[in-house]
């Protein structure tokens, strides 16, 4: 949608992807003619072949192409012509480009004469004798003005000419850590520059679109027994250069060390957060699906992972800002010469279509409060002299006064609450924590951190999937609204993805699909400074996606495999689980019955058929009340409800959409035996966590996604001689099964010739 609007507005012809790639190659040959050929790193040699040979072939083809008299203008050239009609400097630079392509003399005299004649005609057409200068010429003569917009933000902030500027590169060389001077050279050779400056070949793009990932390396995961990181390309830890301060900006590195020492942590270089930061800083796509969340007493690990990706985000933003600042200073000195270089080289292509570079998706406001407060703590003191709108933030997200930086409840205050809900429910879904509709922009300047900044002037956007879906829906209905601030996201972080599965995962999929689209408007962007792969529609190949979850499921796995195309490669966790059966307090026999199914398309029908023929007849013939049927999804809930209605069974419903006034009535009917069966969903347990009394026979129609729910559900059984627990599973439930019974037992259960297994 965005590409079509942008093309129609500027008079572009709509091209196919193949045509666009072909025409962009022609533009790049001219645009980067004076540039050294790029030699790809070894991380791409395994998957793409010998790229040096590919470049040789392209060079030979280039000679043939240059002999052609006419070629259709590319999207980039059409865009330059459009801008040239409004900007004299752009028009002059474009004219130089055309002269060179036509084989005319490239001497300064010829070029200057041609430009001077055009300037004279412009003056005559204007009807005045005043010398007209472009906005950039005025900037170089009088200094940068506040009215000038670059990348959707005030230019004064980019170049650091006042207190609002972010960059502090001039002071970096004075920093010292552990008595050693930190030079800025470590930042120049960082993975940030290597990642964004790399140019993909068509062969590499075709390979990425094929979605064939080869996980070639393996290394132990930090402090997680029998768990390993597996990835494609080069292992980021093996390629790590400790002398470069792990790729961090010196000021950030120094501040992180000070913050870490304040928390009385062990050796920083071997810490969890430093090790995970190294993986993040490799710019691989990452899926960590065994993270212990803070609300399940995993505060230390959860905080370590959070610190790592927040520092990675800050480092990416600050390095982006430094690069733009240096380029702006160079442009202000020798405007006309450098203007031409922008069209021909890549040295000054340093930005995207809009300013926001990092998007953090979070499910609940309580989690957002925790992460934003930690982000402020990790921001260097110089950049948070003033935290603007912190009062409004505390009013809307809660002050979190009962939590420390790791999310732990204050013991005295938590005891006074006297809630029947378990502690993890209070920490995750307690008061002031359960809002799932929010969106906030965060902007960093030289001396302040501004919360609630306009989205187009923000550096980081923190939002819930529902909050962004609302904005996307408004943009589709109202033409004056748009979500173009999602067009230049270079780091996407999806934290607590397991909680989003309990909400609506389709919202997450929709948000990811709307990232890195060609914007519908210009938004004050200097198009000549936009990186070429943005103009080529290749931004999603450069976006890093980090998915963090306490477990993996098919939806999360599909998103990681099908919608994450980062050319750097992928890193994911491989785990062996011990299971949660020891947490069951009752001596209950758990009978697992395997449902044989041939394909995923038939799995749901086979499960219902098995239940109708093997399980329900026993329930119907028994006079025993107190039968709970547990299902993990609303789809299964609806199918079973319709089936029970068709059988005229005595049942009541306890689903996620139950009204508050009906909860007591349903629980009472089941406890008193007025209804023989209660149909209970995993999401209802997640959002309400009520204790259902009177359960004597438990049927787990489908295993829960969250492994901690399994012992909680089984422990609902009343301790008696008549209690029973039956669990239905298929080979397609392997991920859930191994989290509950353990990896070793799960493998035997799905591969054994037997179909019934008993745990006591």
């Amino acid at each position: 949608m965005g590409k079509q609007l942008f093309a129609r507005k500027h008079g572009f012809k709509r091209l196919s992807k193949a045509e666009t790639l072909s025409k962009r190659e022609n533009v790049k040959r001219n645009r980067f003619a004076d540039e050294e050929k790029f030699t790809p790193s070894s991380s791409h040699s395994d998957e793409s072949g010998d790229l040096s040979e590919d470049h040789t072939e392209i060079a030979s083809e280039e000679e043939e192409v240059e002999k052609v008299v006419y070629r259709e203008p590319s999207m980039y050239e059409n865009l330059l012509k459009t801008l040239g009609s409004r900007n004299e400097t752009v028009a002059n630079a474009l004219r130089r480009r055309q002269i060179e392509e036509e084989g005319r003399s490239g001497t300064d005299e010829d070029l200057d004469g041609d430009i001077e004649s055009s300037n004279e005609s412009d003056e005559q057409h204007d009807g005045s004798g005043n010398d007209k200068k472009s906005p950039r010429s005025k900037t170089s003569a009088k200094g940068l003005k506040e009215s000038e917009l670059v990348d959707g933000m005030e230019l004064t902030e980019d170049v650091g000419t006042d207190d609002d500027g972010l960059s502090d590169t001039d002071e970096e060389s004075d920093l010292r850590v552990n008595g050693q001077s930190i030079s800025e050279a470590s930042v120049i050779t960082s993975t940030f520059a290597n990642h964004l400056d790399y140019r993909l070949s068509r062969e590499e793009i075709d390979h990425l679109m094929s979605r064939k990932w080869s996980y070639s390396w393996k290394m132990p995961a930090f402090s997680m027994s029998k768990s390993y990181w597996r990835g494609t390309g080069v292992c980021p830890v093996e390629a790590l250069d400790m002398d470069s301060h792990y790729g961090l900006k010196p000021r950030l590195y120094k501040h992180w060390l000070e913050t870490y020492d304040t928390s009385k942590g062990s050796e920083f270089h071997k810490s969890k957060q430093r090790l995970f930061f190294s993986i993040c800083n490799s710019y691989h796509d990452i899926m960590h699906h065994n993270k212990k969340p803070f609300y399940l007493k995993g505060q230390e690990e959860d905080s370590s992972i959070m610190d790592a990706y927040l520092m990675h985000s800050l480092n990416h933003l600050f390095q982006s800002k430094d690069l733009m600042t240096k380029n702006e200073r160079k442009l202000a000195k020798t405007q006309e010469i450098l203007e031409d270089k922008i069209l021909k080289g890549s040295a000054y292509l340093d930005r995207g279509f809009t300013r926001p570079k990092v998007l953090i998706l979070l499910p609940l406001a309580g989690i957002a409060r925790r992460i934003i407060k930690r982000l402020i703590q990790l921001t260097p003191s110089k950049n948070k002299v003033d935290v603007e709108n912190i009062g409004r933030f505390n009013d809307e997200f809660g002050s979190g006064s009962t939590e420390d930086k790791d999310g732990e409840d204050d013991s005295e205050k938590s005891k006074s609450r006297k809630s029947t809900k378990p502690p993890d429910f209070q920490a995750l879904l307690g008061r002031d924590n359960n809002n799932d509709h929010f969106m906030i922009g965060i902007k960093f300047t030289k001396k302040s951190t501004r919360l609630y900044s306009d989205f187009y002037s923000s550096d980081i956007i923190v939002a819930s999937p529902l909050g962004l879906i609302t904005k996307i829906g408004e943009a589709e209905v109202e033409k004056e609204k748009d979500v173009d601030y999602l067009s230049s996201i270079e780091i996407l972080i999806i934290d607590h993805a397991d909680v989003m599965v309990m909400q609506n995962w389709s919202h997450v999929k929709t948000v990811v699909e709307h990232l890195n689209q060609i914007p519908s408007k210009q938004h004050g962007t200097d198009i000549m400074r936009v990186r070429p792969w943005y103009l080529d529609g290749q931004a999603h190949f450069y976006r890093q996606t980090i998915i963090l979850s306490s477990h993996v499921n098919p939806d999360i796995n599909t998103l990681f495999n099908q919608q994450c195309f980062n050319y750097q490669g992928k890193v994911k966790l491989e785990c062996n689980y011990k299971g949660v059966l020891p947490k069951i307090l009752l001596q209950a026999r758990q009978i697992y019955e395997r449902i044989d199914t041939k394909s995923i398309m038939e799995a749901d029908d086979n499960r219902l058929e098995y239940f109708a023929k093997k399980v329900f007849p026993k329930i119907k013939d028994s006079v025993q009340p107190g039968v709970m049927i547990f299902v993990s999804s609303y789809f299964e809930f609806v199918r079973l409800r319709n089936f029970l209605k068709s059988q005229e069974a005595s049942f009541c419903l306890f689903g996620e959409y139950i009204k508050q006034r009906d909860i007591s009535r349903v629980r009472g009917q089941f406890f008193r035996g007025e209804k023989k069966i209660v149909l209970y969903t995993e999401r209802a347990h997640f959002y309400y966590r009520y204790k259902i009394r009177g359960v004597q026979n438990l049927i787990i129609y489908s295993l829960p996604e969250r492994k901690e729910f399994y012992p909680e559900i089984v422990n609902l059984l009343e301790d008696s001689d008549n209690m029973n627990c039956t669990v239905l599973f298929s080979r397609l439930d392997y991920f859930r099964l191994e989290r509950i019974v353990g990896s070793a037992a799960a493998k035997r259960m799905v591969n054994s010739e037997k179909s019934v297994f008993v745990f006591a």
Side-chain angles (χ1 to χ4, degrees), residues 309-584:
Y309 73 66
L310 289 178
M311 288 304 300
H312 174 55
S313 300
L314 288 171
N315 191 50
H316 183 85
L317 292 172
F318 282 31
Q319 292 199 55
S320 297
K321 185 71 67 170
D322 279 353
L323 179 61
M324 287 188 286
T325 299
K326 293 173 185 176
N327 288 341
E328 288 296 341
R329 289 173 177 170
K330 292 178 181 178
L331 285 170
K333 292 179 181 178
T334 53
Q335 192 67 40
E336 186 173 320
I337 297 176
L338 293 177
E339 191 77 51
D340 188 37
K341 287 186 177 180
I342 293 176
L343 294 174
K344 296 172 55 180
S346 61
Y348 299 93
L349 306 178
D350 53 15
R351 64 195 60 193
F353 292 112
T354 53
R355 176 168 178 165
K357 293 292 182 287
V358 179
L359 173 63
I360 303 178
L361 281 182
L362 302 170
L364 299 167
I367 297 175
R369 177 185 66 237
R370 178 174 179 265
I371 288 176
I372 292 174
K373 287 198 168 187
R374 188 57 176 167
L375 175 67
I376 294 173
Q377 292 176 356
L378 292 175
T379 301
S381 302
K382 182 177 180 179
N383 300 109
K384 59 177 181 182
V385 173
D386 180 24
V387 180
E388 301 179 27
N389 299 320
I390 189 65
R392 176 185 172 186
F393 175 77
N394 290 333
D395 292 339
E396 295 186 9
F397 285 80
S399 61
S401 57
T402 60
E403 298 177 354
D404 64 11
K405 68 177 181 180
D406 291 332
E408 297 178 353
D409 289 341
D410 182 90
S411 57
E412 295 181 0
K413 293 185 179 181
S414 61
K415 289 179 181 179
S416 63
R417 292 180 179 178
K418 297 181 181 180
S419 174
T420 59
K421 308 292 184 183
D424 64 293
F425 180 90
Q426 288 289 343
L428 182 63
L429 292 167
R431 187 177 62 180
D432 297 333
N433 292 343
N434 57 9
N435 177 25
D436 61 352
H437 191 283
F438 59 89
M439 191 169 174
I440 180 173
I442 303 174
K443 176 181 180 179
F444 298 96
T445 63
K446 190 173 182 180
K447 293 186 178 180
S448 69
T449 300
R450 184 178 304 166
L451 305 179
Y452 295 97
S453 58
D454 177 75
F455 296 132
Y456 282 101
S457 62
S458 299
D459 296 300
I460 297 178
I461 295 176
V462 179
S464 66
L466 182 59
L468 266 174
I469 282 294
T470 302
K471 295 292 184 181
I472 292 172
E474 292 175 355
E476 292 175 350
V477 175
E478 304 177 42
K479 294 182 179 180
E480 65 274 10
K481 294 184 178 181
D482 58 68
V483 289
D484 291 344
Y485 43 77
L486 301 178
S487 64
S488 302
I489 297 298
E490 294 173 354
I491 297 179
L492 168 64
I493 299 168
I494 304 175
D495 200 358
H496 297 277
D498 52 292
V499 180
M500 297 180 194
V501 172
M502 292 289 105
Q503 295 173 330
N504 191 335
W505 187 255
S506 65
H507 290 345
V508 180
K509 291 171 55 181
T510 302
V511 169
V512 175
E513 290 169 356
H514 278 77
L515 297 180
N516 304 119
Q517 300 294 317
I518 300 293
S520 59
K521 304 172 185 176
Q522 189 174 346
H523 300 289
T525 305
D526 187 346
I527 296 296
M528 292 189 298
R529 300 279 297 280
V530 174
R531 294 183 183 273
W533 40 265
Y534 273 111
L535 298 173
D536 290 339
Q538 298 175 4
H540 58 293
F541 295 124
Y542 291 79
R543 185 191 71 232
Q544 180 186 29
T545 303
I546 302 174
I547 302 177
L548 306 168
S549 174
S550 66
H551 65 263
V552 68
N553 82 334
D555 291 329
I556 299 175
N557 209 37
T558 299
L559 179 70
F560 186 69
N561 291 329
Q562 301 297 323
Q563 292 186 266
C564 300
F565 297 96
N566 187 353
Y567 81 88
Q568 287 284 4
K570 295 177 179 290
V571 177
K572 67 178 181 179
L573 200 63
E574 185 180 87
C575 303
N576 286 323
Y577 296 90
K578 297 179 180 179
V580 294
L581 297 182
K583 295 183 179 180
I584 296 175

Side-chain angles (χ1 to χ4, degrees), residues 599-631:
S599 69
I600 191 172
M601 301 297 294
E602 302 174 357
D604 293 324
D605 293 335
N606 292 340
R607 188 182 296 269
L608 182 61
E609 182 181 0
Y610 187 93
F611 176 82
K613 293 181 178 180
K614 301 290 186 179
V615 180
F616 183 72
K618 298 177 183 178
I619 299 174
K620 189 175 182 180
D621 296 339
S622 175
V623 296
Q624 181 186 24
V627 179
M628 172 184 280
I629 302 177
F630 177 87
V631 297

